[in-house]
Amino acid sequence: MRKRTRILGRALAAAGTLAALTVATAVPATAAEPTSVDQDIAQLYQDVEDLYNGLPANALRGVDPLFDSPVKRPGQQANAAQGPIPGCTPGALLTYANGLAAKLTPTEGKALSALSAIGQLYTQAIASDKTPQVFGTDGQYTPRATSTIDKLRGFWDIESWNVQLVAWKGTDLGSQERTTQTFKLGLDPKRAAEAGALATKVLYEVPGLQGGRHPLLTLNAFSAPAESLGGKRIMLGDGLLDVVNHLGFDDVSVEAVVGHEYGHQVDFAHNNYPENESSEMGPDAYGGYFGAHAKGEAWNARTQQEVTYLDASIGDCQHSHGTPDQRKAAGAWGEKQAVSQNNPNRIVPTVKMIEQFQKVYPKLMQPKTAALAAAH
């Protein structure tokens, strides 16, 4: 009898469990209440949108990323005017960044979006090379970065003394003083202080952001003209350097990226703001020229080829910054100009370099892509 009771007890328990499950599934589930973290992130996102809306009209003029990040930030305008280019495959770096973004939860994605926008604005408008800059998450790229910018300042014939090279670091977001300074660019002091404190709080409320060390927070590089907020500067992200290293381009990463971003300064100096892919392909070409030139990096043929593959890795398929093939072709064109000169020590004047590239640019576009661009 005792055995039967035990069996019956187990049966009733199972029936009770089944009934509970039936009730649970029969009643429509109510929407989960937002957690305090969700509320903090929503408020921070709104603060960042208001910050960008409160900036001067020309604050972001000419400031364009090395490539279009998969994480869209408040205040960021989409560069792509048309749909994807048929038959095009995005570059390796862009593909890797897309993979990182796909792993984010919606909560992480929204927090990262807002915080990345704050960090970029801090680096553009407030950070200064008057204080020692540390490039790379562990400072491992600092000597190469400072050496490269010094070479570039002496290489091209543009005003260079006031082109700053500053480190874009996600860990800066852990400083309430820095986040508050950033919000003061577009918000009143009281709200800026509240938003600055909230930004630092969110950074540590979301463990996936790794205290500011998640690569996507700083996975890019920018160049800014004199009239933008903060003046002439190049911003080099730790996340970008880490990922480029991971993809196998560490031998040329710093020099190639800084050379490209300085190429934008060449365009800015001559008020050259193309509204097509040549806005990014031109700096690829100027950077290639600097890398291969005897008075630049003087890289050999193998290293020059590595640079063109790095150029290709940041190509997209959105009529935005150039496809992988286009960017590779632009970098290779610049290298060829350097190694084919009768006088290897001669440096082509920047105005002439721009003119030459604009003439050859249509030929570097894939026929299919050029036809599509012309149709639009």
Side-chain angles (χ1 to χ4, degrees):
M1 188 69 179
R2 215 175 271 171
K3 183 177 179 182
R4 182 180 173 190
T5 304
R6 286 200 297 269
I7 294 172
L8 182 60
R10 287 199 296 270
L12 288 172
T17 302
L18 180 61
L21 287 172
T22 304
V23 170
T25 54
V27 178
T30 57
E33 288 292 321
T35 67
S36 60
V37 175
D38 291 329
Q39 292 172 341
D40 286 345
I41 293 170
Q43 179 59 57
L44 179 63
Y45 198 93
Q46 185 61 59
D47 289 338
V48 175
E49 285 192 322
D50 292 344
L51 164 64
Y52 272 78
N53 289 333
L55 295 175
N58 67 340
L60 304 176
R61 180 176 183 262
V63 182
D64 203 20
L66 182 67
F67 69 98
D68 276 339
S69 170
V71 180
K72 301 303 177 187
R73 299 183 304 278
Q76 181 181 11
Q77 298 295 320
N79 289 304
Q82 299 96 31
I85 297 169
C88 173
T89 300
L93 194 149
L94 188 56
T95 300
Y96 186 86
N98 284 330
L100 289 177
K103 295 176 182 177
L104 297 172
T105 67
T107 296
E108 291 170 338
K110 192 167 186 176
L112 191 146
S113 176
L115 288 166
S116 182
I118 300 166
Q120 180 196 327
L121 198 54
Y122 171 79
T123 308
Q124 181 191 338
I126 298 171
S128 170
D129 68 358
K130 290 183 173 60
T131 59
Q133 296 297 294
V134 178
F135 296 93
T137 49
D138 299 312
Q140 67 271 40
Y141 297 109
T142 301
R144 288 169 61 185
T146 53
S147 172
T148 302
I149 194 68
D150 285 345
K151 285 182 184 178
L152 284 159
R153 286 178 179 138
F155 185 81
W156 294 113
D157 63 350
I158 61 173
E159 183 181 62
S160 60
W161 64 270
N162 54 357
V163 178
Q164 296 192 60
L165 177 64
V166 291
W168 181 16
K169 308 188 79 65
T171 50
D172 282 338
L173 295 162
S175 165
Q176 187 173 328
E177 177 185 359
R178 293 175 182 179
T179 54
T180 299
Q181 281 180 294
T182 307
F183 277 107
K184 283 182 179 178
L185 296 170
L187 302 180
D188 67 75
K190 181 177 183 297
R191 186 174 174 195
E194 293 170 350
L198 181 60
T200 302
K201 180 184 179 188
V202 167
L203 178 68
Y204 296 111
E205 278 184 325
V206 183
L209 300 181
Q210 303 168 30
R213 291 173 177 82
H214 192 290
L216 280 176
L217 282 166
T218 56
L219 209 170
N220 228 317
F222 295 81
S223 195
E227 61 271 23
S228 74
L229 202 64
K232 295 182 188 178
R233 64 182 55 209
I234 293 167
M235 297 158 272
L236 189 57
D238 282 355
L240 176 67
L241 295 176
D242 287 344
V243 170
V244 170
N245 178 30
H246 174 79
L247 294 175
F249 296 110
D250 192 51
D251 289 349
V252 298
S253 58
V254 177
E255 297 80 4
V257 173
V258 177
H260 169 96
E261 295 303 332
Y262 203 94
H264 282 293
Q265 296 295 327
V266 168
D267 276 337
F268 298 155
H270 297 286
N271 201 32
N272 185 41
Y273 293 89
E275 295 184 358
N276 53 33
E277 286 91 336
S278 69
S279 65
E280 290 297 324
M281 291 169 63
D284 284 339
Y286 315 150
Y289 182 80
F290 166 74
H293 199 283
K295 288 191 172 181
E297 294 295 340
W299 279 329
N300 60 28
R302 187 205 66 78
T303 309
Q304 291 168 30
Q305 186 180 51
E306 187 176 353
V307 174
T308 62
Y309 281 110
L310 173 55
D311 292 336
S313 79
I314 53 181
D316 63 41
C317 298
Q318 300 290 332
H319 298 281
S320 173
H321 286 54
T323 67
D325 285 344
Q326 289 164 359
R327 300 199 68 161
K328 182 179 178 182
W333 179 86
E335 293 169 355
K336 184 178 179 181
Q337 306 316 299
V339 300
S340 62
Q341 294 181 164
N342 291 330
N343 178 0
N345 293 315
R346 175 178 177 266
I347 300 174
V348 175
T350 51
V351 67
K352 186 69 174 176
M353 177 63 72
I354 293 171
E355 179 185 326
Q356 289 176 344
F357 180 76
Q358 287 300 323
K359 283 181 180 178
V360 78
Y361 161 69
K363 299 176 184 177
L364 300 178
M365 301 285 283
Q366 297 170 4
K368 183 189 296 183
T369 305
L372 286 169
H376 289 277

